[in-house]
Amino acid sequence: MHDRVTYRHETQILEKQMMVPLGIVMRRTPGVTRWAAWAWRAVSVLPGAPQADWRELRREGEAVDFHAATVLLDLHHTQTEAYLQGLSARVPSVFVIMRNRPNANLERAPYEVVLVTASPFEAQDYADNGDDIVEKVPMPEGLVALVRDFVEAHHQEEAFQKRRRDKQADGRAQDGIGDARIVQPRDVFATPERMRRGRLN
């Protein structure tokens, strides 16, 4: 099913689960304010990449790309609805979650890459906690195909369950409102049937 993906041999395929190693590429450019000498952002992922620790990949002018780390993209059969949501975006993407490294070298390795996910719902949870940095990175075509194949193999639409009405309850007639044992000078809620039976004293 995944033969067209060139990094298939690097991927761990388990029952209803798949783990794909993704190298995270971070780009450093000069900062735009005096308080930040450098600006960093995740720009791409490298499927099937080996382990790395902020290895410099290329320089172009003042921009430098680093292979910051390789982490596992964990695809699980219970999350296919979220993957479908991501695949339906104009640009299907993965989300890289990072944290500031304490006492980090801000010029060389400022972040710890914590996670990469194809679920926009999971990414939103990390974005909401206020402690993590979440960056959206376009999926390469091969990764889009891999995630789509995984979803097609495991996604199950939730069956619509019509609520069954209680037939016994439906057969009961409501005989007015209020307590029939209480005599009232004017019972505006009494039904004709109750009025024919008379009140209980």
Side-chain angles (χ1 to χ4, degrees):
M1 179 172 63
H2 306 292
D3 289 346
R4 69 174 178 273
V5 183
T6 57
Y7 47 90
R8 179 177 61 86
H9 65 285
E10 300 287 352
T11 300
Q12 301 176 50
I13 302 176
L14 307 175
E15 185 179 1
K16 297 186 177 182
Q17 187 177 15
M18 180 181 296
M19 290 181 286
V20 185
L22 292 182
I24 309 303
V25 178
M26 299 289 299
R27 178 167 296 162
R28 186 191 72 194
T29 53
V32 294
T33 69
R34 61 180 180 177
W35 295 279
W38 307 103
W40 291 91
R41 65 188 181 97
V43 292
S44 63
V45 293
L46 306 172
Q51 291 298 320
D53 185 13
W54 291 90
R55 180 171 65 87
E56 184 174 324
L57 295 177
R58 68 183 68 86
R59 286 178 178 262
E60 187 174 335
E62 294 186 287
V64 185
D65 287 355
F66 294 88
H67 179 183
T70 294
V71 291
L72 289 176
L73 172 65
D74 188 353
L75 301 176
H76 199 273
H77 72 104
T78 60
Q79 302 300 315
T80 54
E81 185 67 38
Y83 305 150
L84 276 174
Q85 182 78 15
L87 289 172
S88 66
R90 186 174 59 86
V91 180
S93 301
V94 292
F95 301 85
V96 178
I97 290 89
M98 300 172 290
R99 291 178 187 153
N100 290 307
R101 277 180 167 176
N103 305 315
N105 180 346
L106 300 181
E107 184 179 349
R108 181 74 186 183
Y111 303 119
E112 174 191 1
V113 180
V114 177
L115 181 75
V116 63
T117 180
S119 166
F121 306 151
E122 185 177 21
Q124 187 61 52
D125 289 341
Y126 279 95
D128 289 343
N129 69 23
D131 297 325
D132 298 318
I133 302 164
V134 179
E135 298 226 351
K136 189 175 180 181
V137 179
M139 290 188 195
E141 288 185 7
L143 186 56
V144 172
L146 188 68
V147 175
R148 183 178 292 118
D149 283 352
F150 182 84
V151 170
E152 288 177 357
H154 299 292
H155 184 65
Q156 294 181 353
E157 293 286 349
E158 293 186 9
F160 174 74
Q161 295 184 352
K162 186 176 180 180
R163 293 181 60 186
R164 299 182 63 182
R165 301 180 67 179
D166 187 344
K167 293 182 180 179
Q168 183 179 1
D170 288 346
R172 296 172 185 167
Q174 183 175 353
D175 189 16
I177 301 175
D179 192 336
R181 295 170 295 181
I182 302 175
V183 178
Q184 301 178 24
R186 184 180 179 191
D187 191 352
V188 295
F189 300 112
T191 63
E193 182 181 349
R194 180 187 293 178
M195 294 174 68
R196 285 195 299 271
R197 288 200 315 258
R199 301 183 185 277
L200 297 176
N201 292 316

